[in-house]
């Protein structure tokens, strides 16, 4: 096995089914990629599932869209390999007739999955990694897609050269660029003000703010009109108590467009995971560590 | 301005400060009045055979009613009617116990799944044995806040909304059918433990106007 040879990829479509709903990979084509060309026992890399999406069509983020379904990934890993949770790049908002609010991906998205090789994996062999995928891709209509993808990752010995796969570098960079960062623990953090069932977020340097409601958080009462605002203030009415459990939290992603941005597409993305204060206090304890 | 499922570069709808009441996406739709724990909003709709169906007629006759928001061409609906017979089974297993299942299609004219013909045809295609009601104006869909197909609502014998949300928890192992669980509890005279969940499926195809 030549050192540093890139992983090979085969793509087979899932079982075909009758009827119009599963067309293999209609309107979105999936690839399974690896950030590095090989892996060394005891070390890690990142896998990616990249979807190339037809114009006007979209896939769904793993959050509180009013409709749709995020892609489902089932990894089949050989002995000695473990995968971390999927990392979802931040989505964009899409208002659809209803009106309803969905959080979607367009054009292209790469979902990232950390992969760890134990120290026991056999050097000189190849890890066969499989991914069963199912997704819903929609325009104004929705179509289901599915694919079974595989990737052969050479396992090298310590000291051998493991290089970044150059052809997919951009895909990983684009995905990482859209991962939310940890909520700042210093004065630069946006200010939070709670009152009754309302959370007001203020960021002095922002010309636009948007909040994307994530899973297991209190839903927004009106994501369509309140989820995004021009200026430095975002006021969110929360759908609480009907949508809350015993320890409600606001979860999701805050996107901030800075006033003095180097380019129009430069934004800040923060992971949000805040406990809803029970006593309607106007200040909040610092947010707990985010994902 | 049509706000369809096409983003075309617009990241989101941002309402102008003095938006007229009938501008797109702010049309004065019927407000959502359905709320779990309260009386389910009554309605009358026509089915694909032209017959009229009224919710309170069913509940006054002592029925528990399961509403399935439906679109014959949504892949999630197809999965529940072809691969699995999720809703037909509710009908088959529970109608002798006083439960009535009814599908409601709120697809607007011109949208996927719209119309008497397509829905009548789908009834044969999927072997659906219960009524399919047509709500092309979307009035009932908006009253209930129906977002997805399927979106399930269960009305108890007193006409109170006892469950709203997904048909199941989507898991392949350890699948929980929320509608079945709710029906079993209602039939045993108990309160519904999981009364509200987040629904999943394709978006209901309301009018863009």
């Amino acid at each position: 096995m030549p050192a540093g040879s890139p992983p090979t990829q085969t793509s087979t479509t899932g079982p075909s089914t009758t009827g119009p709903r599963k067309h293999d990979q209609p309107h979105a084509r999936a690839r399974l990629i690896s950030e590095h060309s090989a892996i060394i026992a005891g070390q890690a890399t990142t896998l990616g599932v990249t979807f190339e999406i037809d114009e006007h069509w979209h896939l769904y983020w793993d959050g509180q869209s009013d409709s749709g379904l995020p892609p489902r990934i089932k990894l089949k890993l050989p002995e000695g390999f473990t995968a971390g949770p999927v990392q979802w790049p931040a989505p964009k908002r899409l208002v659809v007739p209803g009106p309803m609010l969905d959080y979607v991906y367009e054009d292209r998205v790469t979902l990232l999955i950390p992969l760890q090789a134990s120290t026991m994996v056999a050097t000189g062999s190849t890890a066969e990694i499989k991914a069963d995928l199912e997704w819903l891709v929609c325009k104004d209509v929705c179509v289901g897609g599915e694919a079974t993808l595989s990737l052969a990752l050479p396992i090298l010995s310590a000291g051998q050269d493991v290089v970044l796969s150059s052809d997919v570098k951009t895909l990983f960079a684009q995905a990482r660029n859209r991962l939310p960062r940890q909520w700042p623990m210093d004065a630069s953090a946006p200010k939070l003000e709670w009152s009754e069932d309302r959370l007001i977020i203020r960021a002095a340097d922002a010309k636009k703010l948007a909040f994307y409601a994530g899973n297991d958080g209190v839903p927004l009462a009106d994501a369509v009109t309140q989820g995004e605002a021009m200026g430095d203030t975002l006021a969110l009415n929360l759908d609480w108590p009907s949508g809350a459990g015993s320890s409600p939290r606001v979860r999701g992603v805050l996107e901030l467009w800075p006033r003095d941005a180097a380019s129009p597409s430069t934004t800040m993305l923060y992971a949000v995971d805040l406990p809803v204060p029970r006593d309607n206090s106007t200040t909040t304890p610092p947010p707990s560590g985010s994902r | 301005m049509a706000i369809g499922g096409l983003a075309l570069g617009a990241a989101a709808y941002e309402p102008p400060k003095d938006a007229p009441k009938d501008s797109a996406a702010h049309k004065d739709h019927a407000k959502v009045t359905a709320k779990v724990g309260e009386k389910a909003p009554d309605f009358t709709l026509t089915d694909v055979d032209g017959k009229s169906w009224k919710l309170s007629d069913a509940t006054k006759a002592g029925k528990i009613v399961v509403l399935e928001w439906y679109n014959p061409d949504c892949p999630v609906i197809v999965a529940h009617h072809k691969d699995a017979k999720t809703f037909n089974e509710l009908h088959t297993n529970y109608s002798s116990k006083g439960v009535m299942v009814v599908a409601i299609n709120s697809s607007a004219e011109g949208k996927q799944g719209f119309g008497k013909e397509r829905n009548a045809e789908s009834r044969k295609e999927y072997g659906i044995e219960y009524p399919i009601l047509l709500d092309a104006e979307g009035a009932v869909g908006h009253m209930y806040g129906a977002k997805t197909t399927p979106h399930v609502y269960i009305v108890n014998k007193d006409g109170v909304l006892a469950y709203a949300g997904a048909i199941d928890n989507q898991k392949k192992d350890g699948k929980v059918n929320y509608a079945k669980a709710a029906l079993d509890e209602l039939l045993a005279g108990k309160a519904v433990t999981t009364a509200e969940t987040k629904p999943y499926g394709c978006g209901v195809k309301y009018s863009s106007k």
Side-chain angles (χ1 to χ4, degrees):
Chain A
M1 175 76 56
S5 59
T8 54
Q9 174 173 273
T10 54
S11 166
T12 55
T13 52
S16 70
T17 50
T18 55
R21 85 189 170 287
K22 284 176 182 175
H23 295 279
D24 298 355
Q25 304 198 44
H27 304 295
R29 284 149 305 285
R31 297 173 61 186
L32 179 61
I33 56 178
S34 169
E35 189 161 25
H36 296 88
S37 58
I39 197 162
I40 290 172
Q43 298 202 1
T45 186
T46 306
L47 298 174
V49 177
T50 301
F51 290 93
E52 304 282 349
I53 308 164
D54 282 357
E55 201 184 2
H56 305 316
W57 291 76
H58 52 266
L59 293 179
Y60 293 86
W61 179 59
D62 190 24
Q64 292 198 44
S65 298
D66 279 336
S67 63
L69 279 175
R72 288 209 277 191
I73 303 171
K74 207 163 162 183
L75 278 184
K76 292 193 189 121
L77 301 172
E79 187 101 22
F81 285 85
T82 48
V86 176
Q87 298 175 294
W88 299 81
K92 61 187 280 192
R93 284 163 46 96
L94 181 70
V95 179
V96 297
M100 295 192 282
L101 198 289
D102 291 332
Y103 301 108
V104 303
Y105 298 117
E106 293 169 332
D107 299 326
R108 169 199 283 170
V109 65
T110 300
L111 307 180
L112 304 176
I113 308 172
L115 181 73
Q116 177 75 44
S118 80
T119 51
M120 309 295 281
V121 298
T123 302
S125 68
T126 304
E128 291 291 331
I129 296 167
K130 274 194 160 61
D132 287 327
L133 309 178
E134 264 186 323
W135 65 86
L136 203 62
V137 58
C138 307
K139 191 168 68 165
D140 49 347
V141 301
C142 291
V143 179
E146 57 173 5
T148 296
L149 306 175
S150 57
L151 185 70
L153 198 59
I155 303 172
L156 305 183
S157 52
Q160 278 186 294
D161 234 354
V162 169
V163 299
L164 292 172
S165 307
S166 54
D167 58 328
V168 298
K169 248 166 91 158
T170 314
L171 299 177
F172 282 95
Q174 286 174 343
R176 290 217 170 84
N177 206 39
R178 291 292 298 170
L179 289 184
R181 66 185 73 181
Q182 202 176 30
W183 191 267
M185 293 313 236
D186 59 17
S188 72
K191 307 288 173 280
L192 308 167
E193 186 187 310
W194 301 87
S195 83
E196 308 246 328
D197 57 354
R198 199 166 155 94
L199 168 61
I200 301 175
I201 302 175
R202 288 182 222 277
D205 55 341
K207 67 172 187 232
K208 181 170 155 183
L209 292 166
F211 176 72
Y212 313 135
N215 289 324
D216 306 321
V218 176
L220 299 184
D222 185 1
V224 172
T225 54
Q226 294 193 327
E228 185 180 282
M230 303 304 289
D232 60 13
T233 304
L234 188 64
L236 305 169
N237 283 358
L238 306 174
D239 192 7
W240 182 70
S242 76
S246 51
S247 321
R249 302 186 75 87
V250 173
R251 287 202 164 105
V253 175
L254 181 72
E255 187 158 14
L256 186 160
W257 283 255
R259 265 205 306 268
D260 317 309
S263 81
S265 57
T266 304
T267 65
M268 310 283 286
L269 290 162
Y270 298 112
V272 177
D273 187 358
L274 309 164
V276 177
R278 303 298 249 154
D279 56 356
N280 296 331
S281 49
T282 54
T283 54
T284 193
S288 61
S290 34
R291 311 171 256 262
Chain B
M1 174 171 92
I3 303 183
L6 311 175
L8 296 175
Y13 176 71
E14 204 222 336
K17 298 237 176 0
D18 3 79
K21 266 204 118 166
D22 60 355
S23 63
H26 279 272
K27 182 163 178 142
D28 206 6
H29 292 301
K31 293 258 178 221
V32 180
T33 51
K35 207 173 144 108
V36 170
E38 291 178 9
K39 257 215 142 86
D42 199 9
F43 62 87
T44 306
L45 287 174
T46 310
D47 73 10
V48 293
D49 299 318
K51 262 179 61 186
S52 189
W53 191 92
K54 187 172 180 174
L55 175 65
S56 54
D57 286 346
T59 53
K60 281 183 193 145
K63 303 279 187 198
I64 297 174
V65 179
V66 179
L67 304 176
E68 171 201 0
W69 250 265
Y70 177 80
N71 170 351
D73 299 318
C74 161
V76 185
I77 286 285
V78 177
H80 280 295
H81 283 276
K82 269 196 164 170
D83 298 339
K85 297 288 187 181
T86 316
F87 292 93
N88 232 30
E89 276 171 9
L90 283 180
H91 165 83
T92 310
N93 298 335
Y94 287 89
S95 40
S96 58
K97 302 180 187 171
V99 175
M100 186 161 191
V101 181
V102 159
I104 301 182
N105 184 320
S106 300
S107 293
E109 188 169 350
K111 301 278 180 168
Q112 187 192 47
F114 163 78
K116 201 165 158 167
E117 268 174 41
R118 177 68 195 107
N119 283 280
E121 181 184 71
S122 75
R123 190 173 49 176
K124 277 190 233 127
E125 221 182 307
Y126 306 145
I128 292 175
E129 292 164 4
Y130 48 84
I132 301 177
L133 309 177
L134 301 175
D135 175 44
E137 299 290 304
V140 180
H142 282 112
M143 263 195 330
Y144 276 77
K147 296 192 167 151
T148 57
T149 55
H151 193 152
V152 177
Y153 298 83
I154 300 182
V155 181
N156 73 15
K157 279 186 262 198
D158 302 317
V160 170
L161 188 60
Y163 176 79
I167 177 63
D168 59 33
N169 64 353
Q170 284 186 266
K171 294 201 160 73
K172 289 200 172 127
D173 313 308
K175 183 185 282 285
V176 175
N177 182 320
Y178 294 126
K180 184 182 182 308
L183 289 174
D184 288 340
E185 284 173 315
L186 288 172
L187 290 168
K190 299 194 207 137
V192 175
T193 321
T194 304
E196 237 175 318
T197 60
K198 188 174 185 326
Y200 68 87
C202 310
V204 172
K205 306 304 178 196
Y206 292 111
S207 164
S208 308
K209 300 198 191 77

